[in-house]
Amino acid sequence: MPVAQAPQRGGVTFKLFRLAGRRGRFATVKSLSVACMVSVAVGAASPVVVRAQGDAAAPAPAVDPSWLQVDSVTKTVTFQLVAGLTGLNGALNFNGFRDGGLTLAVPVGWTVVMHFRNHDGMLPHSAEVIADTHPLPTGPVAPAFPRAFTLRLDQGLISEQTDDIRFIADRGGSYLIFCGVPGHGAAGMWVRFAVSGSVTKPSLAATPAGPP
């Protein structure tokens, strides 16, 4: 296995290996060596999450039962909708889920209240209920139900701002809870909302992520 001796940097010697004569393998090891040089230079600092690459800073959480409150007498369901709850997908997530990984299901005719809060300390976010469509829109569109959207839909609400969405789910079908800030929803910031006549009680569950 050929070994190339690289110049010393700050007392550290780096070796570049070429495996079986393949250029790709050489380049990979070389990249790792450069990463080591950066780590030494900054004193082995903690890794930085790069938003542009969509790296997940944290795994998707389990569904928290406290996110959902059900009043069967008034047929009202209240959902705590939190934008950027974790660092998953560069914080482009709702309640720590992205790309439809969470589904809120309610019976037809129920009143839906979503208490929206933007937990992302860097980016503004918003929310609206839209038709289940593909390809995903790049910005805000007409909501699927009257008043099913937050204030400043295209600009978003800044960190820790809140707003309430309140509407009647009077039509069955499959919908999306979608961030209307341009580019956010298309980058994965959406979860599912289902309205069904066969459902007797609202529910919230983790679901397979994927395109709508």
Side-chain angles (χ1 to χ4, degrees):
M1 179 185 299
V3 178
Q5 189 77 26
Q8 291 189 351
R9 301 288 181 87
V12 178
T13 301
F14 295 90
K15 295 181 179 181
L16 307 181
F17 298 87
R18 185 185 302 278
L19 302 180
R22 295 175 60 181
R23 296 174 61 86
R25 293 297 181 88
F26 179 86
T28 299
V29 178
K30 184 177 180 179
S31 297
L32 291 174
S33 298
V34 172
C36 292
M37 294 170 62
V38 173
S39 177
V40 171
V42 300
S46 299
V48 177
V49 175
V50 182
R51 287 177 178 267
Q53 295 179 347
D55 290 340
V63 175
D64 187 338
S66 69
W67 292 340
L68 200 68
Q69 294 85 43
V70 176
D71 187 336
S72 298
V73 175
T74 62
K75 294 185 177 180
T76 300
V77 57
T78 303
F79 176 39
Q80 306 295 329
L81 179 63
V82 185
L85 179 63
T86 70
L88 182 74
N89 194 33
L92 299 181
N93 64 75
F94 285 121
N95 294 60
F97 294 85
R98 59 170 293 182
D99 289 311
L102 182 70
T103 297
L104 170 63
V106 303
V108 173
W110 277 54
T111 297
V112 179
V113 180
M114 297 184 184
H115 293 313
F116 173 87
R117 175 170 65 94
N118 180 16
H119 185 66
D120 189 342
M122 296 180 63
L123 297 176
H125 296 296
S126 63
E128 65 170 330
V129 178
I130 66 171
D132 189 341
T133 183
H134 185 75
L136 291 166
T138 58
V141 296
F145 301 93
R147 299 181 297 279
F149 58 92
T150 59
L151 298 171
R152 300 177 59 188
L153 189 55
D154 57 344
Q155 297 176 338
L157 300 176
I158 64 174
S159 180
E160 297 308 325
Q161 280 191 321
T162 62
D163 191 23
D164 286 348
I165 301 172
R166 186 184 184 93
F167 63 95
I168 298 175
D170 56 0
R171 294 189 312 279
S174 298
Y175 305 93
L176 309 179
I177 302 172
F178 181 86
C179 181
V181 176
H184 290 192
M189 194 169 182
W190 59 274
V191 292
R192 300 184 188 276
F193 176 64
V195 183
S196 174
S198 62
V199 172
T200 59
K201 185 178 180 180
S203 64
L204 189 65
T207 50

